[in-house]
Amino acid sequence: MKHLNKLLGTAFVLLATSTSYACNLKAQTNDNTVLVTKSTPEKPSKQFVKIALLLDTSNSMDGLINQAKAQLWDIVNEFTHAKCGNQTRPDLQIALYEYGNDNLSSREGYIRQVLGFSHDLDEISEKLFSLTTNGGEEYCGEVIHTSLKQLDWGKNPDDLKMIFIAGNEPFNQGKLDYKAAATNAKEKDVIVNTIFCGNYDQGISTMWKSGAVLTGGEYMAIDHNRQVVHINTPYDDIIIRLNGKLNKTYISYGAMGLEKKALQAAQDSNAAELEEAVAVQRTVSKSSRLYKNSQWDLVDAVEDNETIISEMRDEDLPTELQGKSETEIKAYIADKKAEREKIQKEIQELNAKRDAYIAKNQAGQKGELENAMLSAIKAQASKKNFKWD
C-alpha cells in the first residue's frame, strides 16, 4: 500500500435542536365563547454541526494540505454515526479558509474564504484540492475573526459550532489580538480548536494552547508531514467497483446537472490519485446519508420534494427522460432509487468487514489530523448531548 499524507479534511460537524410551542384556539358556540389551549408535542428542528477549517497555506504546509485532502472522508464517515440529543441525525456543514499565503491580498490580511458553510461533499473536496502553498504572513487572530464575521453560524444553542485552525507560526501575530477573536467566538457559542504543526511545547510557547483554552477548545500538536501506512483489504477493489455502479444511479437535471455530475467524477479521480484507500473512504461517504445532491440529482430531489417532476420543464430533464409522461419519469426514478439503495447497503456491509480487517491489522494507526479532530469533536459534542452509535 502506498504511504499517505493524512488528514485534517476537516472538516466536517454537528447539530441538534428541538423547540416546543403551543397555539391557542378559540372555539365559539351559539351562546358563549370558550378559550381552548392545545399543547403540541415537542417538534425537533434541524440540528447542525458547523465546522470551519482555517488552514495555513504558507510554504511549509504542503503536508497539512495533503492530510486534509486525504482524510476528509474519514471524518465525514465518522459523522454518519452521530446522533443528536433528540435522537435525530445532525446535518454536517463545512467551511474552508486559507491564510498566510503571499498569493492572497495583503489588504485582506492574507486571508481568503475558499468556501462558506456547505454540505456539498463534492464541492468541499474540490475546494480542498484547489489549495496551493506559498510563503506569507500568518495572522491567526484575524482569520478567526474573519470567519466569525463572514459565516452564518446561526443562533441555535444546540448546534455544535467549531473552528479548527492549523498552522506553525506564532499565534499572536498580526494587528488583531487573538484574545479579542476568542471573546467574539464565545459570544457566538463557537469553540476554537488549535492544531500546531510541530513540537507540542513549541506550540504552547507560541500561544497556540492559549488560543484554544480561551473558548474551551482543545490544543493539539501534530506532525503534519507524517506518513501513515494503509492496509490493503480484500474488500477495497469490490467497493471501488461498486462506486462505478453507484454513479450510474444519478440522474442529472437542470442547468447545473451535467456540470455537477462531472464534478462528482472529478472528485472520484482526485481521491484515487492520492491513494486507493482514500477512494474507498470517499465511496463509503457516498453511500451515507450525508452525501445528498438534491440540487442536481432527480433521485435525491424527488425524495425531498415529490412535486418537483410536475413543476419541471421538459428541457431541464436528461435526454432519456424528455418527452416521457410524469408516470414514466416517476417509475424511472423509483427504479434508480431502489438500485442505489441496494448498492449503498452493499457498500456499507463491505465497509464494516473492511473496518474489522483494518482494526485487526493496523491497530492505532490513523492520520494525525484525523485523530486530533475527532478527539476534539467527540469531547465537545458530548457537551451538546451528541452521541455515536
Side-chain angles (χ1 to χ4, degrees):
M1 191 90 174
K2 308 171 190 174
H3 283 79
L4 173 63
N5 281 324
K6 264 203 150 189
L7 148 234
L8 165 9
T10 248
F12 309 108
V13 133
L14 294 182
L15 39 77
T17 100
S18 60
T19 60
S20 59
Y21 59 89
C23 55
N24 295 326
L25 300 175
K26 287 187 177 179
Q28 179 157 352
T29 64
N30 290 334
D31 49 305
N32 67 339
T33 300
V34 179
L35 183 65
V36 180
T37 301
K38 280 189 177 180
S39 181
T40 63
E42 268 195 6
K43 182 180 179 182
S45 60
K46 203 62 180 164
Q47 294 181 302
F48 293 86
V49 176
K50 296 190 174 187
I51 298 174
L53 289 173
L54 318 182
L55 303 182
D56 179 353
T57 56
S58 61
N59 275 336
S60 56
M61 292 292 103
D62 293 282
L64 173 70
I65 304 308
N66 284 335
Q67 286 198 29
K69 294 173 183 177
Q71 297 174 5
L72 167 67
W73 307 111
D74 297 280
I75 294 173
V76 170
N77 292 337
E78 195 71 27
F79 273 111
T80 65
H81 306 293
K83 188 175 287 186
C84 307
N86 60 7
Q87 300 304 305
T88 63
R89 300 287 187 182
D91 278 356
L92 174 63
Q93 294 186 344
I94 296 172
L96 179 62
Y97 280 78
E98 64 169 323
Y99 73 102
N101 189 316
D102 275 347
N103 290 329
L104 306 178
S105 169
S106 60
R107 288 177 296 179
E108 301 296 329
Y110 300 102
I111 294 164
R112 179 173 76 98
Q113 182 189 93
V114 182
L115 181 67
F117 281 128
S118 174
H119 58 80
D120 186 332
L121 298 182
D122 289 338
E123 183 180 34
I124 294 166
S125 175
E126 177 192 31
K127 297 304 183 184
L128 273 173
F129 274 86
S130 74
L131 296 179
T132 57
T133 58
N134 195 27
E137 301 293 331
E138 294 100 298
Y139 302 145
C140 296
E142 190 164 351
V143 70
I144 292 171
H145 177 78
T146 301
S147 68
L148 290 167
K149 179 181 178 181
Q150 292 182 346
L151 296 172
D152 180 9
W153 290 94
K155 299 184 182 299
N156 191 334
D158 292 323
D159 286 353
L160 182 60
K161 295 174 277 192
M162 295 175 289
I163 286 172
F164 285 88
I165 178 169
N168 70 344
E169 291 295 322
F171 204 76
N172 56 353
Q173 292 185 142
K175 296 179 181 179
L176 183 60
D177 188 353
Y178 73 88
K179 295 177 182 177
T183 299
N184 189 10
K186 289 185 72 173
E187 290 174 352
K188 294 179 179 288
D189 192 29
V190 178
I191 300 169
V192 177
N193 300 285
T194 63
I195 302 172
F196 181 69
C197 299
N199 177 268
Y200 186 88
D201 291 332
Q202 183 184 356
I204 293 176
S205 65
T206 52
M207 312 308 292
W208 280 79
K209 183 175 182 179
S210 175
V213 298
L214 286 172
T215 66
E218 291 195 29
Y219 162 66
M220 299 151 277
I222 66 167
D223 177 0
H224 57 295
N225 291 316
R226 176 176 177 255
Q227 294 182 323
V228 177
V229 177
H230 289 274
I231 301 297
N232 285 315
T233 82
Y235 313 103
D236 295 350
D237 289 342
I238 307 171
I239 291 174
I240 289 174
R241 286 200 297 271
L242 285 172
N243 180 65
K245 294 182 178 180
L246 184 64
N247 285 352
K248 293 178 182 178
T249 69
Y250 284 84
I251 311 169
S252 59
Y253 73 92
M256 68 173 67
L258 292 177
E259 179 182 341
K260 284 290 191 178
K261 196 163 187 179
L263 178 62
Q264 180 188 63
Q267 299 318 304
D268 285 349
S269 296
N270 279 338
E273 286 176 9
L274 279 177
E275 175 114 18
E276 185 178 77
V278 180
V280 171
Q281 287 295 80
R282 171 171 160 81
T283 300
V284 173
S285 295
K286 288 168 67 177
S287 72
S288 77
R289 64 179 181 84
L290 293 174
Y291 190 74
K292 296 284 287 184
N293 297 286
S294 303
Q295 291 185 322
W296 65 269
D297 167 57
L298 276 177
V299 175
D300 285 343
V302 169
E303 185 173 350
D304 287 350
N305 177 15
E306 293 182 355
T307 67
I308 191 171
I309 299 303
S310 60
E311 300 167 356
M312 191 170 294
R313 299 177 305 174
D314 193 61
E315 56 265 36
D316 288 332
L317 292 168
T319 305
E320 64 268 26
L321 293 181
Q322 290 180 8
K324 301 288 186 181
S325 69
E326 186 173 329
T327 300
E328 290 173 318
I329 293 171
K330 287 182 176 179
Y332 184 87
I333 293 171
D335 287 344
K336 290 294 184 182
K337 180 180 180 180
E339 183 182 356
R340 181 181 302 176
E341 289 175 346
K342 180 181 177 182
I343 295 169
Q344 289 175 326
K345 182 180 178 181
E346 190 173 352
I347 291 170
Q348 291 289 331
E349 290 172 348
L350 287 167
N351 187 58
K353 295 177 181 179
R354 179 177 181 270
D355 284 344
Y357 186 97
I358 291 173
K360 181 179 179 181
N361 293 279
Q362 192 187 22
Q365 290 197 44
K366 284 196 171 185
E368 291 272 299
L369 277 175
E370 178 182 355
N371 278 338
M373 288 187 65
L374 290 178
S375 173
I377 286 167
K378 289 193 173 182
Q380 291 155 25
S382 67
K383 297 176 183 178
K384 297 277 188 176
N385 206 22
F386 284 93
K387 297 179 181 177
W388 266 256
D389 56 26

